[in-house]
Structures are given as structure tokens and as C-alpha cells.
């Protein structure tokens, strides 16, 4: 039920009192009864270091700034108000940003006028002192009601904004999966409570203290169709269904990195840039998400009248995205919509950061005769040549018998042709260390029963090199290492990123195993050295050929 503010007379009738009874007061508010107000909610999520445009001139904060400035001018010129929110994950993904602790990204967000952001799981990719430094850079609050350290919330749970006398409360919530997908070195002392339960508490507190007119959750929890979240923690749909109907007017989400555009009941539409987008609505709550990397700015135009918050229109606006068309028999890239000019001040402010990063990253380290596949939707569901190449590089560095690589640590593909250090850091931005352990065949079997059976479509899904096996339900069988059947009494060595060795992605924590070794080698450096040693990478040599069979 939407919040409706009754007049003093209506309240008096409802309570059996006369209008003159001094004990009955009209609820306090600063907006005017029967006046209609316009409120626009703008949002992005999963920035992942994309402060600069890509090589095709797409995205980038300078163009995003122009777009947001235009929308603000339009809305405010018509007497309305704008709120700009982020669904989190500012960190990790673009080397120029990663090397500088995402400082250009936060500077850019300040210049664009973000009002608040949800704390994402990738905000914990760095030591906590880096996170504190980033929070200091930001001129807007980091919000997370369900993240605790030493028994206290690490961040503000919410922020209340006043827009034309309308009180808008924004709550921050973060996926509790951060405890297993965050770097164990940095999240070990941090508690990620159930965001659904924390939301219920915070909403009760807000109603008691502020009686807000509108409540929005800025979340980094993921949107999963009809709440089917698989091995992931429950996301925005489950959150909306868990609360009382209408408790949340809107969820501005992130984490699953999809455009939340629906077709029919609980079904995703086949959305592409430039299409219309219908947000999800669950239990009276509108749920939105703007894909990833600043590809879009989400725009939700609402009216507010007498306590009713009503969505009038919604759009995902492409930020200089392009499509391929044929011109004279050749494929060329053209803008999907009119080109958005780059804001000169933002461009000039961020360019030194881009130049500094480019200088260190543009050196060629090798080449390949085809694409190395690390695209999220593919690598989290299938063995790929890039996944096997990375696992092989780690395996060879440690002189191991086989290699295990979590798909969540493979962040991009590498196009065929020249390969640069930037390409490598884009694929492996987390700075994990290659580790290994020597285990008996019996221990290996137990380990693979856990790791080899991780659910597809998640970062925990493992890539393998040096072994073959059959996966059936929650067990694996017919394990062969270097072509020979697993012997329970023999000892084998395998590599694993430090993140997973410490229990990340729900893998067994093997750091206390007596034969565990942290090599000290950073994963991206190992991959870089491996590609340099090859010179020219033959992608077919790493092409999966039925080594891992799923039944």
C-alpha cells in the first residue's frame, strides 16, 4: 500500500474524534496537499573502473556527466528534483583505475554529483585502509546497513534527503555473499548480516524517527528472475517479497550486472541498447538495474502527490554505445543514439589519470592467433581456452600436476592479435597470489567433490588444466591427472588462487594444510610472464575438448 497522508479532518473521522479535538494533529510534512511534484531518480551500478571511454569511444564519465547535466537541467527547469544513486562496485576491472585505487572514479562521481552509493562486494578487493581512503575521497555517503565490524556498522545505514519538502530515505544493502566472494584477507573481521532482516529493522527505525514519504533501497545484491538465485545469496526480488507490501517504493540495484527489463510476469525481456525497458515490480516495489560499466544511465521519472509516489516513465539511456553495421561491404561501428559530447571539465580532470595508467600498460607482451574467451556469461558456464590458459600458467609456475582457477577471477576476454599488459590486468585485476598444495589422491577426491561441483552461472564455477573428470550431482568420478587415473595413495600438487585457497567462493580453506605454499607470485604477473614466454599463443592448444564432462 502506498503511503497516503490524511487530512486532520479525515483522521478525526477515522478515530471517532471531532476536528476540533486538539489531540488529533495533521501529520507533519513540508509538501503541499493536492500539489503534484516531479521527482527523477537517476542510477548506475557496477562501474568497475570505467571512468574513461573505451577504445571505441563508448561510455566514460565525461559523456555521462553531460547526459546527467542535461537531465538535471530539464527536470529542474520544470520545477522537479533529481536524485543520483549508485548500486556499488566502483572498484576493479580497468587497469588504469585499479593501479590508482579508483581515485579517478571517485573524483568523477563527485563531479557528476552522486548523492549516495551502495557498498559493493568489490569495494573489499583492497585492504580496508584503501576502502577508508576511498570513502574519504567521496563527497557522498557509502551506505550499507548490514555490514558490521567489531559489533558496529562500518557505514551509515541510510541517508534522508529533502527534495521540495518530500522526505526521501535511501537505505544501503550489500550481498552477504561478500563474506565468501570478497578477499578473505580483507573481509575476515567483517560481518555481512542478512540484508533482508536489516532492511526490516531500518525501515521500522526510519518510520519511527523520520516518517519518510519515500523509501528507496540502493542495493548491491543482484536481481534474479522470479527470485531464482541459485547458489548466489538472495537478491532484490527476495528482498522485496520479504518486506511488507509497499515498505520499499524502489530498489536501485547492482551486482548481477544485467539490465533489469521485464516482459510478462517474472520474465526477462530480450533487451538491447535503445529498446524500451519495463522495470520489475515485486510486492509493490519497483526494481531497476542499469547493466554495468556506465553503459547506461537509468532514468525513473516519478510524480508525488498526497503521499502517492507513482512511476510515470522509465528508460535506460545508452552512453555513446555503438552497434556494427555494414557500409560498402565492411562492418563499421555507429552510435545507437545521438552522440553525447564529453563534459570538458570532467574530461580534463580525469585525463591525467588515464594518461598515467596508459603509460604503464600499453607495452606489447605477446600475441594470439584467435580470441581467448573470458566473457562472463560463457566462462561461468563452460570451460574456456582462457580459463585453461590461466590455470596452465599457474600450474607451470608452481611445477604442479594440475591447476584450478575460479571463473569469477576471469574478468574479460582477450581479442586475437597483439596482447598488452593492460589486457592481462583487465582479465586478472584482483592481485591474487598463486598458491599450491600437495595432497594425497584421497584428499584430492574430497576437494574436487566440493570444487568440481560448484554451480554454473556463478564465479565459483571452476576452470581446470591438467586433469579430466566426470561431474555428476555433488560428486566427481573418473578423475585422471596427466592422463592417469587418480591414485588415492599418491601425492599430487595443484595450484589455486589465494582467494580460493583461503575459502573464497565457498571453496575449502586449505591455508592450514601442512603442505600449503603461498608462492608470492601475483596472478597477473604469472600470466604476463607465461604469455611473454610463448610469444605467440596458439589458442587451439588450450581449447577445451571434453575433459570435464557434466551429467
Amino acid at each position: 500500500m502506498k503511503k497516503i497522508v490524511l487530512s486532520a479532518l479525515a483522521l478525526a473521522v477515522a478515530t471517532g474524534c471531532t476536528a476540533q479535538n486538539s489531540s488529533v494533529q495533521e501529520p507533519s510534512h513540508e509538501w503541499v496537499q493536492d500539489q503534484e511534484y516531479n521527482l527523477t531518480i537517476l542510477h548506475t551500478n557496477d562501474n568497475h573502473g570505467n571512468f574513461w571511454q573505451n577504445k571505441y569511444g563508448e561510455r566514460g564519465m565525461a559523456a555521462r556527466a553531460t547526459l546527467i547535466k542535461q537531465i538535471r537541467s530539464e527536470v529542474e527547469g520544470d520545477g522537479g528534483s533529481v536524485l543520483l544513486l549508485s548500486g556499488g562496485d566502483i572498484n576493479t576491472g580497468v587497469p588504469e583505475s585499479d593501479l590508482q585505487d579508483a581515485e579517478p572514479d571517485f573524483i568523477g562521481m563527485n563531479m557528476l554529483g552522486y548523492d549516495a552509493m551502495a557498498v559493493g562486494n568489490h569495494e573489499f578487493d583492497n585492504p580496508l585502509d584503501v576502502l577508508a581512503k576511498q570513502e574519504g575521497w567521496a563527497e557522498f555517503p557509502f551506505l550499507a546497513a548490514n555490514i558490521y565490524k567489531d559489533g558496529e556498522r562500518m557505514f551509515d545505514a541510510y541517508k534522508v534527503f529533502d527534495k521540495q519538502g518530500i522526505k526521501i530515505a535511501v537505505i544501503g544493502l550489500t550481498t552477504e555473499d561478500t563474506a565468501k566472494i570478497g578477499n578473505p584477507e580483507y573481509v575476515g573481521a567483517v560481518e555481512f548480516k542478512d540484508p533482508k532482516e536489516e532492511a526490516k529493522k531500518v525501515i521500522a527505525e526510519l518510520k519511527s524517527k523520520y516518517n519518510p514519504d519515500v523509501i528507496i533501497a540502493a542495493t548491491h545484491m543482484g536481481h534474479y528472475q522470479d527470485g531464482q538465485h541459485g547458489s548466489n545469496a538472495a537478491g532484490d526480488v527476495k528482498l522485496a517479497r520479504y518486506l511488507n507490501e509497499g515498505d520499499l517504493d524502489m530498489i536501485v540495484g547492482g551486482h548481477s550486472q544485467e539490465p533489469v527489463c521485464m516482459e510478462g510476469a517474472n520474465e526477462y525481456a530480450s533487451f538491447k541498447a535503445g529498446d524500451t525497458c519495463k522495470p520489475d515490480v515485486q510486492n509493490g516495489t519497483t526494481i531497476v538495474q542499469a547493466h554495468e560499466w556506465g553503459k547506461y544511465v537509468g532514468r525513473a521519472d516519478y510524480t508525488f502527490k498526497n503521499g502517492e509516489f507513482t512511476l510515470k516513465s522509465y528508460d535506460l539511456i545508452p552512453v555513446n554505445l555503438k552497434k556494427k553495421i555494414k557500409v560498402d561491404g565492411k562492418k563499421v561501428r555507429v552510435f545507437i543514439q545521438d552522440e553525447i559530447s564529453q563534459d570538458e571539465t570532467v574530461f580534463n580532470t580525469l585525463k591525467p589519470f588515464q594518461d598515467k595508467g596508459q603509460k604503464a600498460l600499453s607495452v606489447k607482451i605477446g600475441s594470439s592467433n584467435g580470441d581467448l574467451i573470458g566473457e562472463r556469461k560463457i566462462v561461468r558456464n563452460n570451460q574456456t581456452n582462457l580459463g585453461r590458459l590461466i590455470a596452465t600458467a599457474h600450474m607451470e609456475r608452481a611445477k604442479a600436476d594440475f591447476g584450478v582457477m575460479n571463473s569469477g577471477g576471469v574478468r574479460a576476454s582477450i581479442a586475437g592479435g597483439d596482447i598488452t599488459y593492460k589486457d592481462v590486468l583487465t582479465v586478472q585485476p584482483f592481485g591474487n597470489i598463486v598458491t599450491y598444495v600437495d595432497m594425497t589422491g584421497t584428499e584430492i577426491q574430497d576437494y574436487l567433490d566440493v570444487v568440481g561441483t560448484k554451480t554454473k552461472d556463478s564465479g565459483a564455477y571452476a576452470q581446470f588444466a591438467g586433469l579430466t573428470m566426470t561431474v555428476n550431482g555433488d560428486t566427481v568420478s573418473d578423475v585422471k591427472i596427466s592422463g592417469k587415473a587418480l591414485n588415492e595413495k599418491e601425492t599430487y600438487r595443484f595450484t589455486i588462487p589465494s582467494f580460493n585457497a583461503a575459502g573464497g567462493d565457498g571453496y575449502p580453506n586449505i591455508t592450514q594444510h601442512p603442505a600449503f605454499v603461498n608462492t608470492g607470485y601475483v596472478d597477473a604477473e604469472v600470466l604476463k610472464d607465461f604469455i611473454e614466454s610463448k610469444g605467440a599463443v596458439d589458442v587451439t592448444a588450450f581449447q577445451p575438448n571434453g575433459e570435464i564432462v557434466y551429467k
Side-chain angles (χ1 to χ4, degrees):
M1 298 291 291
K2 293 295 180 185
K3 295 173 282 297
I4 301 176
V5 179
L6 302 175
S7 68
L9 177 61
L11 281 171
V13 172
T15 57
C17 301
T18 65
Q20 286 76 29
N21 189 330
S22 60
S23 65
V24 178
Q25 300 293 328
E26 182 175 318
S28 62
H29 57 73
E30 297 179 19
W31 45 266
V32 179
Q33 196 81 10
D34 297 329
Q35 180 174 326
E36 185 172 271
Y37 298 84
N38 294 320
L39 291 169
T40 295
I41 311 300
L42 303 180
H43 65 99
T44 61
N45 56 276
D46 294 275
N47 178 73
H48 288 298
N50 285 273
F51 71 91
W52 200 251
Q53 62 185 344
N54 69 4
K55 63 183 179 180
Y56 303 116
E58 298 175 302
R59 312 191 303 262
M61 285 188 167
R64 196 193 311 174
T66 298
L67 175 59
I68 289 170
K69 188 181 292 185
Q70 289 171 347
I71 295 172
R72 275 204 185 98
S73 177
E74 171 201 331
V75 172
E76 293 172 359
D78 289 336
S81 298
V82 174
L83 199 66
L84 175 57
L85 303 174
S86 168
D89 267 9
I90 311 306
N91 287 280
T92 308
V94 175
E96 290 90 339
S97 171
D98 298 340
L99 289 171
Q100 300 173 82
D101 291 334
E103 183 179 7
D105 304 84
F106 286 104
I107 289 173
M109 291 178 75
N110 290 339
M111 298 181 77
L112 272 60
Y114 277 80
D115 291 293
M117 67 167 260
V119 175
N121 59 286
H122 284 288
E123 269 61 88
F124 291 90
D125 288 342
N126 303 303
L128 295 184
D129 60 344
V130 174
L131 177 54
K133 180 171 63 175
Q134 292 175 337
E135 192 176 9
W137 285 333
E139 296 172 0
F140 49 87
F142 286 22
L143 300 179
N146 65 310
I147 301 179
Y148 286 75
K149 189 173 184 291
D150 301 325
E152 302 288 337
R153 283 191 175 117
M154 285 186 68
F155 308 94
D156 289 339
Y158 56 83
K159 170 84 171 177
V160 179
F161 298 90
D162 186 317
K163 296 290 184 180
Q164 306 174 79
I166 302 163
K167 284 185 285 188
I168 305 173
V170 179
I171 305 167
L173 298 166
T174 305
T175 176
E176 65 265 51
D177 271 351
T178 309
K180 69 177 183 180
I181 63 179
N183 191 319
E185 295 178 61
Y186 309 141
V187 300
V190 180
E191 182 181 5
F192 299 88
K193 294 189 177 183
D194 186 333
K196 302 188 303 301
E197 294 180 3
E198 291 294 300
K200 188 176 279 287
K201 293 179 194 173
V202 170
I203 288 170
E205 178 184 331
L206 281 167
K207 289 181 176 180
S208 173
K209 284 187 177 181
Y210 300 99
N211 189 28
D213 302 298
V214 176
I215 302 178
I216 298 171
T219 73
H220 194 83
M221 297 169 56
H223 184 279
Y224 306 105
Q225 181 174 300
D226 198 23
Q228 302 302 308
H229 53 88
S231 62
N232 299 296
D236 294 332
V237 173
K238 286 291 181 71
L239 170 66
R241 292 176 178 176
Y242 178 82
L243 300 170
N244 295 326
E245 183 178 358
D247 267 358
L248 277 180
D249 292 284
M250 184 182 193
I251 296 175
V252 171
H255 187 52
S256 51
Q257 298 180 221
E258 295 287 350
V260 173
C261 304
M262 310 306 291
E263 183 175 36
N266 297 316
E267 291 183 8
Y268 287 126
S270 179
F271 175 84
K272 50 186 188 303
D275 288 352
T276 57
C277 177
K278 177 186 174 185
D280 198 7
V281 178
Q282 297 285 340
N283 200 26
T285 301
T286 299
I287 308 174
V288 299
Q289 190 177 154
H291 203 181
E292 63 187 2
W293 305 350
K295 292 177 178 177
Y296 302 90
V297 170
R299 175 177 178 172
D301 290 310
Y302 285 88
T303 58
F304 180 90
K305 183 177 180 180
N306 296 339
E308 288 283 354
F309 191 55
T310 306
L311 182 64
K312 292 298 186 184
S313 64
Y314 182 75
D315 195 16
L316 282 179
I317 306 170
V319 182
N320 285 345
L321 297 185
K322 295 182 176 181
K323 62 182 178 181
K324 289 182 179 179
I325 63 170
K326 278 191 174 182
V327 177
D328 297 330
K330 295 182 180 180
K331 287 186 178 180
V332 296
R333 294 176 187 269
V334 297
F335 289 107
I336 291 170
Q337 295 184 353
D338 290 343
E339 182 180 3
I340 301 167
S341 62
Q342 300 196 64
D343 182 276
E344 187 175 351
T345 303
V346 174
F347 181 91
N348 291 336
T349 300
L350 299 184
K351 191 172 189 304
F353 291 97
Q354 176 69 6
D355 292 343
K356 182 179 178 181
Q358 285 277 304
K359 187 175 180 181
L361 299 169
S362 58
V363 178
K364 175 183 172 180
I365 61 170
S367 63
S368 68
N369 61 355
D371 294 345
L372 291 162
I373 305 301
E375 182 182 340
R376 180 188 178 102
K377 287 185 177 179
I378 299 175
V379 78
R380 296 187 180 207
N381 290 279
N382 306 276
Q383 301 294 299
T384 75
N385 54 12
L386 181 54
R388 293 191 68 200
L389 184 148
I390 294 170
T392 301
H394 296 181
M395 181 178 74
E396 290 194 5
R397 174 61 66 93
K399 297 181 173 59
D401 298 295
F402 67 96
V404 182
M405 179 67 205
N406 68 315
S407 293
V410 184
R411 305 301 292 185
S413 296
I414 299 177
D418 289 346
I419 301 173
T420 65
Y421 186 30
K422 177 180 178 178
D423 293 325
V424 169
L425 286 171
T426 302
V427 170
Q428 294 203 281
F430 299 122
N432 281 299
I433 306 300
V434 175
T435 73
Y436 68 80
V437 66
D438 295 338
M439 287 185 176
T440 65
T442 300
E443 291 175 304
I444 295 289
Q445 181 67 54
D446 292 341
Y447 186 83
L448 291 176
D449 280 342
V450 176
V451 172
T453 58
K454 287 295 181 184
T455 309
K456 289 189 175 187
D457 201 26
S458 75
Y461 175 76
Q463 301 282 324
F464 296 96
L467 64 74
T468 63
M469 64 182 178
T470 298
V471 181
N472 192 351
D474 59 359
T475 60
V476 302
S477 61
D478 195 25
V479 178
K480 294 180 180 178
I481 299 173
S482 299
K484 296 181 180 179
L486 183 70
N487 185 322
E488 63 181 18
K489 295 182 179 179
E490 284 192 27
T491 298
Y492 303 88
R493 174 177 297 179
F494 69 90
T495 55
I496 186 78
S498 56
F499 165 77
N500 303 99
D505 277 335
Y507 285 32
N509 188 328
I510 59 173
T511 57
Q512 300 306 309
H513 191 285
F516 174 77
V517 175
N518 183 320
T519 68
Y521 299 129
V522 178
D523 53 6
E525 291 295 320
V526 172
L527 180 57
K528 171 177 173 284
D529 291 346
F530 184 77
I531 292 171
E532 283 181 325
S533 71
K534 295 289 182 185
V537 175
D538 179 7
V539 298
T540 61
F542 301 95
Q543 194 65 32
N545 190 27
E547 291 85 357
I548 313 299
V549 177
Y550 289 89
K551 288 191 174 181

